[in-house]
Amino acid sequence: VSIAQKAGYAIKLVGQAKQAEDGRISVFVSPALVPNDNMLSGVKDVFNGVLLKGNAVGDVFLYGRGAGKLPTASAVVADIIDALKDGCRSIIWDEADSSFMITEDKVPCDWLVRADSEVTSFNSISKVEKINNEFVFVGHNLTCDEIEEISAKNSSVKKYIRILK
């Protein structure tokens, strides 16, 4: 946490939908680093934030209460009441056509990497800093498989975490 803060990021649980270059959609939820200049980095406590990026409007940020036991319980009870009012006794999910989906591990992203020494096996890196006797840098445009492969081949790489773009 302290390394993320010193490098200019907040750690957040992020749900993200992202379109890949081939048009397929990747949807996932995972911890990620959010740059401090991103509006989502300031979301704390029982608040949720939604950041939408539109072609015409740019960034649109929605913010409000929604986390915590009481808001969650309220939402669940409201959903059950709505389902019962509509005569629905159960919610059934059908198999969906997943050809338009791509798993999140196939979508390139940036990663904050911690290493014991300088690492030369990345194609593109930036923001190299020495924090707490570790080399901390951003590895750009790598899939999960690629960052795992680099880490397996280089014992200097200690940890890495996805950066929200």
Side-chain angles (χ1 to χ4, degrees):
V1 172
S2 68
I3 288 175
Q5 290 172 340
K6 289 177 184 176
Y9 298 97
I11 300 174
K12 299 292 178 182
L13 181 62
V14 174
Q16 186 175 32
K18 191 173 186 178
Q19 190 167 26
E21 288 182 16
D22 64 4
R24 293 185 291 169
I25 304 293
S26 168
V27 179
F28 63 92
V29 175
S30 73
L33 296 181
V34 178
N36 286 337
D37 61 355
N38 184 306
M39 291 177 275
L40 290 173
S41 70
V43 177
K44 293 179 176 33
D45 300 323
V46 298
F47 292 90
N48 287 333
V50 177
L51 181 61
L52 305 168
K53 294 182 184 270
N55 292 340
V57 297
D59 288 351
V60 176
F61 184 61
L62 307 170
Y63 176 82
R65 291 186 180 273
K69 63 183 177 183
L70 295 178
T72 301
S74 173
V76 169
V77 169
D79 288 347
I80 292 169
I81 290 170
D82 286 345
L84 292 173
K85 279 182 183 177
D86 293 338
C88 177
R89 301 258 184 260
S90 65
I91 299 173
I92 300 170
W93 293 88
D94 293 331
E95 282 293 319
D97 174 16
S98 61
S99 63
F100 66 94
M101 301 292 292
I102 184 172
T103 58
E104 53 96 9
D105 61 330
K106 304 293 184 221
V107 178
C109 64
D110 292 348
W111 302 85
L112 186 76
V113 180
R114 294 171 43 200
D116 288 328
S117 60
E118 292 188 59
V119 180
T120 59
S121 48
F122 287 83
N123 289 335
S124 175
I125 64 170
S126 66
K127 200 175 179 180
V128 179
E129 300 178 48
K130 193 150 187 190
I131 301 174
N132 299 345
N133 295 320
E134 293 179 332
F135 288 88
V136 179
F137 59 91
V138 176
H140 296 283
N141 210 29
L142 297 163
T143 65
C144 288
D145 291 343
E146 291 168 334
I147 190 82
E148 287 173 3
E149 183 179 325
I150 290 170
S151 177
K153 289 180 180 177
N154 192 324
S155 61
S156 176
V157 173
K158 292 170 64 173
K159 301 278 183 189
Y160 48 87
I161 185 171
R162 178 187 315 275
I163 298 174
L164 180 73
K165 281 188 173 181

